[in-house]
Amino acid sequence: MQAVILVGGEGTRLRPLTSRQPKPVITLVDRPFLVYMLEWLRGHGVRDVILSCGFEPTKVREALGDGTQLGLKLRYVVEPEPRGTAGALKYADEQVGGLDDRFLMLNGDVLTDVDVTAQIAQHEETGAVGTLGLVPVEDPSAYGLVLCNGHKAVTGFLEKPAPSQLDGIDRYYISAGVYVLEHSVLDLIPSGQNVSIERAIWPALVGHGLHGSHAEGAYWMDIGTPERYLQGTFDILEGNVRTGVTELLGASYSAIADDVVADGRVVPPAVVGAGSKIGAGAHVGSLVVLGRGVTIGPGARVERSVVLDGVTVGANAVVSDCIVAPGATIGDGAVLRGGAVIGDDVRIGAGNVLASGIRVFPDTTLPPGAIKF
Ligand code: GDD
Ligand code: MG
């Protein structure tokens, strides 16, 4: 099976995590985000993947190469300018000299274990032109809301529905960004233009062969904000979503590299990367990822957080419910909590207190005791 993954968005809502690394390859637990998608697709028989990029994907290529290591053929298509979700598909079709008669299309920012094999089977049984994977959510306002009849035919598609459009709907199913498509869908997309598949193509296909495949028990998360990135991390660590990390963690729910020097305590679920050091009396966990070469000072406490490669956390500092990007330094006794996101190579001086979702951009230096928030 062939798959086209759209990775053209800029990931602005994830800044400063995406200030230095594009969203598709930011580290999630221990591997670039897209690797989860590629491993999941491979498990459903996909061997040929086309990454549809809105701009030159140098860092994505560096991280993923030609896919050999993942057992896939990976190709890159780069648009002259962002073409929108349907325009990107059209451009990819033209660039590879024609996609297969039937293929998968995916949004490149979802962490999921949706059963694509079942979705493909339904698509074949119904003879649909397109089958959208659907997941239930509480609040559909940030997504594409899909209405179906009893035969799973789509009767309505509302992208980013307004509250007034939700009247009378008792259960919300949204498009998961996982589609099985017949090549004929491409006939509906004009060449060389910016076209949205959600706003132009799905509505045109309502009543003309567009179906929905309800994935009830599946895990699904758009990782596009720091809150959801952290939640996705916790769900991987807890095994709520089936990923390659699940095996690595094993029954103990912890994966600590062999050369880690831990004088403090590590409470699972936790992942601690190679070359990291945990000082005496420090407490790491639960729900913590330490990248490679991380130093946690004596008496420090890190919980429910992601602390990426090369970060230093000072003595008696506290990091709770936060994300710390590679190379940052957190001074002695500093307190980070409440969803703070610390960018690459930031230096937080001793005694600062940062909370409430504050985002500190790369290379910033905060003198000791500058902020108590
Ligand atoms: N190549 C390319 N070119 N990719 C693009 C472009 C483009 O011009 N525009 C967006 N993308 C990629 C993004 O990188 C992302 O992977 C995917 O297309 C969807 O774009 P988002 O910007 O993330 O859309 P969204 O999250 O607001 O809504 C979409 O996803 C929801 C599920 O998460 C829609 O498809 C909704 O219907 C859906 O429910
Ligand atoms: Mg998205």
Side-chain angles (χ1 to χ4, degrees):
M1 195 65 152
Q2 190 176 52
V4 180
I5 308 181
L6 298 193
V7 293
E10 289 194 48
T12 46
R13 289 174 298 174
L14 261 175
R15 281 186 198 149
L17 286 181
T18 50
S19 300
R20 295 260 175 94
Q21 286 286 319
K23 178 158 84 168
V25 291
I26 56 170
T27 302
L28 185 62
V29 183
D30 65 347
R31 56 199 80 191
F33 170 71
L34 257 188
V35 171
Y36 292 92
M37 292 199 74
L38 296 171
E39 288 173 343
W40 160 64
L41 291 170
R42 196 178 181 288
H44 288 282
V46 172
R47 293 291 180 274
D48 180 13
V49 176
I50 294 132
L51 288 184
S52 161
C53 309
F55 41 85
E56 180 50 41
T58 314
K59 295 220 165 128
V60 182
R61 277 188 218 263
E62 276 170 18
L64 304 175
D66 66 0
T68 314
Q69 285 190 324
L70 293 157
L72 297 160
K73 174 178 171 194
L74 200 53
R75 285 178 280 176
Y76 299 80
V77 169
V78 188
E79 292 144 51
E81 69 281 320
R83 288 278 167 90
T85 45
L89 182 69
K90 185 78 172 180
Y91 188 73
D93 182 57
E94 291 164 353
Q95 291 298 304
V96 302
L99 294 166
D100 290 352
D101 292 344
R102 178 176 296 150
F103 58 88
L104 300 175
M105 175 175 174
L106 305 118
N107 287 348
D109 58 0
V110 294
L111 175 65
T112 184
D113 55 15
V114 164
D115 185 352
V116 194
T117 303
Q119 187 177 336
I120 296 168
Q122 182 193 313
H123 180 87
E124 285 173 4
E125 276 160 30
T126 60
V129 174
T131 301
L132 311 179
L134 308 180
V135 287
V137 293
E138 299 282 309
D139 175 9
S141 58
Y143 304 109
L145 178 66
V146 183
L147 308 175
C148 290
N149 66 18
H151 304 287
K152 301 196 182 292
V154 175
T155 55
F157 188 96
L158 299 166
E159 184 65 16
K160 314 279 185 304
S164 63
Q165 294 177 295
L166 302 179
D167 289 346
I169 304 171
D170 52 2
R171 193 133 193 243
Y172 305 126
Y173 283 93
I174 56 139
S175 165
V178 180
Y179 324 125
V180 186
L181 301 178
E182 295 298 302
H183 195 272
S184 60
V185 168
L186 283 148
D187 300 340
L188 301 172
I189 309 171
S191 186
Q193 293 180 31
N194 186 304
V195 185
S196 159
I197 207 155
E198 295 85 355
R199 296 186 190 276
I201 307 303
W202 302 150
L205 277 172
V206 171
H208 300 281
L210 190 63
H211 285 234
S213 170
H214 299 75
E216 289 295 344
Y219 180 89
W220 185 88
M221 168 95 63
D222 176 330
I223 59 128
T225 66
E227 297 74 30
R228 295 204 296 254
Y229 170 92
L230 260 189
Q231 188 59 51
T233 302
F234 299 159
D235 288 329
I236 291 169
L237 294 181
E238 300 258 38
N240 295 336
V241 51
R242 192 172 294 275
T243 70
V245 178
T246 317
E247 292 137 51
L248 202 73
L249 288 168
S252 68
Y253 284 84
S254 80
I256 301 175
D258 291 340
D259 64 349
V260 169
V261 181
D263 292 324
R265 197 146 69 104
V266 179
V267 181
V271 170
V272 181
S276 292
K277 295 190 182 71
I278 299 170
H283 178 115
V284 172
S286 68
L287 295 172
V288 166
V289 172
L290 301 186
R292 277 166 299 213
V294 171
T295 304
I296 305 295
R301 186 175 184 95
V302 182
E303 55 189 15
R304 298 178 55 85
S305 293
V306 175
V307 176
L308 293 168
D309 295 359
V311 168
T312 300
V313 174
N316 302 312
V318 175
V319 179
S320 175
D321 287 289
C322 292
I323 307 167
V324 186
T329 306
I330 313 300
D332 293 350
V335 177
L336 307 180
R337 53 179 148 79
V341 186
I342 309 302
D344 298 74
D345 299 320
V346 164
R347 306 174 72 85
I348 306 284
N352 283 286
V353 179
L354 304 180
S356 306
I358 191 168
R359 298 177 185 208
V360 184
F361 281 75
D363 295 319
T364 306
T365 298
L366 278 188
I371 295 183
K372 293 229 190 301
F373 189 66

